[in-house]
C-alpha cells in the first residue's frame, strides 16, 4: 500500500476498547504515516485517558451505558477545529480541516447494533458542510457494499444514499470477523458528500480487535499549524540571563533546582526573545 507524500492519510478502526491498545496502534500509525485516526467503540469514560504521541485526541464518550464511544486522533501539526454534532442514536465526534483551500468536515461515527440508524442523524451530519466524510461502524449491512444480506440499518442507509448525492466508499474485503463464526462482513465504511479525491479503502491485517483497521487517503495538502520561528541573533541575552538568575534567586528556597529551571527558563526566553 502506497500513498503520495502530500496525501492526507486516514484510518478508521473499531477498536473494541482502545485503552490497552495504544501501543500497537502507535506502531501501525508510524508504519503507514497516518495523519488522522478515527476510532469507534473506544469504551472510554471521562476518567480514562487516551494518549498517542504527537496527536491531539477529540472524543465523545458514551455515558449512559457500557461500551460505545468515538474518538478522533489528529496529528498536532494539522490545523483543525472541533465541530459540535447533534445526533441521537449515532455517536459522533467531528473536526474541521482545510484541504486544498477547501473546508472539509471529518466525522467518526458509531451506531450500536441495538439501535436503528436514523435518517435524522445522517441529515444532521451531512448538514455540517458542503464537503463531509463520515466514517466508522454503522452496523449497517447491505449487498451494495459487499455484505451477504441487508439489515434494517443497511436498508435505510441504501435508501438514503439513493435519494441524495452522498456516496459510500468501502474496501473489497471484510472488515469484521465475528468471534461466533458468523459470516465476515464489511461494516467499517465511509460516507462522502462533496467532490473529494478519496483513494480506495484497504484493510490491514493488524491490531487486536474483531474489526480490521481500514486505510484511505485524501489527495492534496492539508493546512498546517504555523510554526513560530525566533531570530536568535536579535535576542536580548543579557536580559535573558538577568531574568533567569533573578527568578532562581527568588525561588531557591521553595523549589528544587530542576523545578525552578522548568518553570522559569521558558519565562526568561519569552522576555529575551
Amino acid at each position: 500500500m502506497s500513498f503520495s507524500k502530500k496525501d492526507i492519510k486516514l484510518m478508521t478502526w473499531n477498536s473494541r476498547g482502545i485503552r490497552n491498545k495504544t501501543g500497537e496502534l502507535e506502531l501501525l500509525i508510524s508504519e503507514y504515516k497516518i495523519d488522522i485516526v478515527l476510532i469507534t467503540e473506544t469504551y472510554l469514560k471521562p476518567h480514562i485517558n487516551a494518549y498517542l504521541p504527537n496527536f491531539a485526541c477529540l472524543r465523545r464518550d458514551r455515558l449512559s451505558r457500557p461500551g460505545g464511544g468515538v474518538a478522533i486522533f489528529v496529528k498536532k501539526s494539522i490545523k483543525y477545529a472541533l465541530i459540535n454534532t447533534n445526533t441521537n442514536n449515532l455517536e459522533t465526534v467531528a473536526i474541521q480541516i482545510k484541504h486544498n483551500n477547501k473546508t472539509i468536515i471529518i466525522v467518526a461515527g458509531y451506531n450500536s447494533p441495538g439501535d436503528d440508524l436514523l435518517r435524522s442523524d445522517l441529515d444532521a451530519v451531512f448538514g455540517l458542510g458542503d464537503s463531509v466524510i463520515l466514517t466508522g461502524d454503522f452496523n449497517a449491512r447491505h449487498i451494495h457494499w459487499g455484505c451477504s444480506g441487508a439489515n434494517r440499518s443497511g436498508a435505510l442507509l441504501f435508501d438514503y444514499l439513493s435519494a441524495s448525492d452522498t456516496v459510500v466508499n468501502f474496501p473489497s474485503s471484510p472488515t469484521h470477523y465475528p468471534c461466533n463464526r458468523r459470516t465476515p462482513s464489511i461494516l467499517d465504511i465511509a460516507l462522502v458528500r462533496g467532490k473529494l479525491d478519496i483513494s480506495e479503502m484497504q484493510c490491514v491485517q493488524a491490531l487486536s480487535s474483531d474489526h480490521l483497521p481500514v486505510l484511505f487517503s485524501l489527495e492534496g495538502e492539508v493546512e498546517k499549524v504555523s510554526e513560530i520561528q525566533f531570530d536568535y541573533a536579535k535576542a536580548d541575552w543579557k536580559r535573558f540571563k538577568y531574568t533567569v538568575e533573578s527568578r532562581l534567586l527568588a525561588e531557591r528556597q521553595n523549589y528544587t533546582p530542576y523545578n525552578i529551571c522548568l518553570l522559569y527558563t521558558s519565562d526568561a526566553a519569552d522576555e529575551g526573545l
Side-chain angles (χ1 to χ4, degrees):
M1 185 182 301
S2 62
F3 297 124
S4 165
K5 290 183 178 179
K6 292 185 178 181
D7 291 347
I8 310 172
K9 293 89 173 177
L10 301 98
M11 185 183 89
T12 182
W13 179 47
N14 183 324
S15 66
R16 299 298 300 272
I18 189 64
R19 185 177 186 180
N20 298 319
K21 301 174 184 178
T22 54
E24 59 182 310
L25 178 58
E26 184 181 343
L27 292 175
L28 189 70
I29 289 171
S30 177
E31 179 179 355
Y32 289 98
K33 296 178 172 56
I34 306 298
D35 299 301
I36 300 174
V37 183
L38 302 108
I39 305 291
T40 58
E41 287 206 273
T42 61
Y43 294 0
L44 295 175
K45 299 300 179 187
H47 66 280
I48 302 174
N49 291 325
Y51 170 77
L52 289 173
N54 302 314
F55 280 78
C57 178
L58 301 310
R59 48 191 262 204
R60 178 181 176 183
D61 301 339
R62 180 189 288 178
L63 304 178
S64 59
R65 61 186 193 271
V70 289
I72 298 178
F73 290 91
V74 55
K75 192 173 287 185
K76 289 182 178 179
S77 60
I78 295 175
K79 189 174 183 179
Y80 71 90
L82 178 66
I83 301 297
N84 290 328
T85 57
N86 185 21
T87 52
N88 295 301
N89 288 358
L90 185 64
E91 300 174 49
T92 52
V93 61
I95 61 170
Q96 173 183 293
I97 64 170
K98 284 282 190 178
H99 170 259
N100 290 344
N101 296 317
K102 178 193 296 184
T103 298
I104 297 178
I105 309 297
I106 299 177
V107 187
Y110 177 71
N111 207 85
S112 171
D115 297 324
D116 287 337
L117 185 62
L118 301 178
R119 186 181 300 272
S120 59
D121 283 347
L122 296 173
D123 286 339
V125 169
F126 289 108
L128 293 173
D130 295 329
S131 299
V132 179
I133 300 173
L134 168 61
T135 185
D137 176 6
F138 313 114
N139 280 292
R141 293 177 169 83
H142 201 279
I143 58 174
H144 181 70
W145 47 89
C147 298
S148 59
N151 60 6
R152 287 179 58 177
S153 290
L156 181 143
L157 180 55
F158 179 75
D159 289 344
Y160 186 88
L161 297 172
S162 301
S164 70
D165 57 354
T166 308
V167 298
V168 58
N169 290 52
F170 53 93
S172 59
S173 57
T175 67
H176 179 226
Y177 291 83
C179 301
N180 56 10
R181 296 186 179 181
R182 293 178 60 186
T183 304
S185 55
I186 298 175
L187 295 182
D188 306 270
I189 57 179
L191 309 177
V192 181
R193 179 172 294 180
K195 295 181 179 179
L196 300 173
D197 294 322
I198 295 181
S199 71
E200 292 183 0
M201 302 184 78
Q202 300 183 48
C203 296
V204 178
Q205 297 288 335
L207 304 181
S208 303
S209 174
D210 57 357
H211 289 252
L212 296 178
V214 182
L215 276 55
F216 62 102
S217 67
L218 267 171
E219 183 180 343
E221 296 191 47
V222 64
E223 184 176 1
K224 300 293 185 69
V225 175
S226 300
E227 295 184 3
I228 299 175
Q229 296 185 349
F230 295 108
D231 187 348
Y232 293 101
K234 297 181 179 180
D236 187 344
W237 293 111
K238 288 184 178 179
R239 184 174 181 180
F240 176 85
K241 180 181 178 182
Y242 172 80
T243 303
V244 171
E245 290 178 345
S246 60
R247 297 279 177 100
L248 286 172
L249 182 63
E251 299 291 346
R252 183 172 294 168
Q253 295 182 359
N254 298 325
Y255 293 91
T256 66
Y258 171 78
N259 285 334
I260 295 173
C261 291
L262 186 64
L263 287 168
Y264 294 114
T265 302
S266 176
D267 291 344
D270 290 340
E271 292 189 24
L273 297 178

